[in-house]
């Protein structure tokens, strides 16, 4: 009897050993290497002056984007670069984002911030800050944002959630009272303070000399680029 039991146990052990490689524990069976997906080709979006018609880049040579102060943040990060673009009071302020990406897909621009631009909360000290977000319609990807500051005469239609086209009026350039937020003594000093940020990595500006004239079709920067840090030229 003992011999029979021993023989049966030997057979069972042999069968178990044969089956074991094909019956891994459930936890091991669920382990798998994460699937590697190929990222979509990066598409950039051009940034233009936020002023319709002629304007001037860094008129007095005191606000180059390589060193100009950055005031605002998006997604928890200080914006990538900033510059002052000048035009006398009364010029139309528009979105700085192009209507198509570098790959040709449409870009949708939405208003994400509408607030007095200065810390005092008083529009007389520096007008409106209007934040805009650019999305690549082909992929649904948010590419970047821009803050357009010192906007006067904002239309009632410019509210958070509104979609704006490249020529929709955000307001006008204005002359505000002299303050720590707006140190301007004359109409030639009236300007729009522009700040730009990428959703990921860093955006860039197009380097140029102070006082250079711009048109509303002059590219002044790009979002969607992969620069290594803030305040870098393209």
């Amino acid at each position: 009897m003992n011999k029979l039991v021993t023989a049966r146990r030997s057979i069972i052990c042999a069968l178990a050993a044969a089956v074991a490689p094909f019956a891994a524990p459930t936890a091991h069976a669920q382990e798998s290497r994460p699937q590697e997906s190929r990222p979509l080709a990066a598409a950039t979006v051009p940034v233009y002056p936020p002023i319709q018609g002629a304007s001037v880049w860094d008129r007095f040579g005191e606000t180059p984007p390589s060193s100009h102060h950055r005031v605002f943040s998006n997604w928890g990060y200080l914006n990538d670069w900033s510059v002052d673009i000048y035009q006398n009071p009364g010029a139309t302020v528009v979105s700085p984002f192009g209507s198509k990406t570098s790959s040709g897909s449409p870009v949708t621009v939405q208003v994400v911030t509408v607030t007095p631009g200065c810390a005092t909360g008083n529009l007389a000290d520096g007008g409106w800050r209007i934040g805009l977000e650019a999305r690549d319609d082909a992929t649904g990807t948010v590419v970047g944002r821009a803050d357009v500051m010192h906007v006067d005469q904002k239309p009632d239609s410019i509210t958070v959630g509104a979609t704006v086209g490249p020529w929709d009026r955000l307001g006008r350039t204005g002359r505000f009272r002299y303050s720590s937020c707006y140190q301007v003594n004359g109409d030639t000093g009236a300007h729009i303070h522009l700040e730009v940020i990428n959703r990921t990595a860093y955006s860039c500006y197009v380097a140029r000399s102070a006082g250079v004239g711009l048109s509303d079709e002059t590219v002044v920067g790009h979002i969607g680029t992969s620069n290594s840090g803030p305040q870098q030229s393209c």
Side-chain angles (χ1 to χ4, degrees):
M1 184 68 173
N2 289 338
K3 290 183 179 179
L4 181 60
V5 170
T6 300
R8 284 179 177 176
R9 285 180 177 173
S10 298
I11 293 171
I12 291 172
C13 289
L15 287 172
V19 173
F22 303 100
T26 302
H28 289 178
Q30 290 176 343
E31 290 178 1
S32 62
R33 183 177 178 179
Q35 185 177 0
E36 296 180 359
S37 59
R38 296 179 61 185
L40 296 171
T44 61
V45 178
V47 179
Y48 297 95
I51 298 173
Q52 191 171 9
S55 59
V56 179
W57 174 269
D58 182 20
R59 172 170 274 162
F60 302 107
E62 298 177 351
T63 62
S66 58
S67 60
H68 192 34
H69 63 267
R70 294 169 287 151
V71 182
F72 306 118
S73 297
N74 284 278
W75 301 298
Y77 299 96
L78 191 64
N79 288 340
D80 297 339
W81 57 273
S82 65
V83 68
D84 287 348
I85 298 180
Y86 292 75
Q87 185 49 278
N88 288 5
T92 299
V93 179
V94 295
S95 165
F97 291 128
S99 59
K100 290 182 183 268
T101 69
S102 56
S103 61
S105 61
V107 172
T108 293
V109 178
Q110 188 173 49
V111 178
V112 293
T113 305
V114 176
T115 184
C118 296
T120 62
N122 194 331
L123 292 175
D125 290 333
W128 294 96
R129 167 198 174 190
I130 299 176
L132 303 167
E133 182 176 274
R135 184 181 70 243
D136 181 346
D137 286 352
T139 63
T141 302
V142 172
V143 185
R145 287 181 176 178
D147 284 296
V148 182
M149 163 68 166
H150 300 316
V151 179
D152 196 17
Q153 301 178 44
K154 178 191 73 67
D156 292 340
S157 59
I158 301 302
T159 58
V160 172
T163 298
V164 297
W167 302 117
D168 289 346
R169 184 168 68 87
L170 304 180
R172 299 196 182 277
T173 54
R175 169 93 177 274
F176 306 97
R177 66 188 180 191
Y178 190 95
S179 69
S180 60
C181 181
Y182 190 77
Q183 298 177 357
V184 173
N185 290 311
D187 284 353
T188 59
H191 64 274
I192 292 295
H193 175 83
L194 173 67
E195 296 196 11
V196 179
I197 185 172
N198 261 14
R199 181 66 182 89
T200 58
Y202 295 91
S203 58
C204 63
Y205 64 90
V206 176
R208 49 178 43 87
S209 301
V212 169
L214 308 171
S215 77
D216 45 25
E217 295 183 350
T218 303
V219 176
V220 299
H222 295 274
I223 57 170
T225 55
S226 298
N227 289 73
S228 59
Q231 295 182 303
Q232 290 185 1
S233 60
C234 299

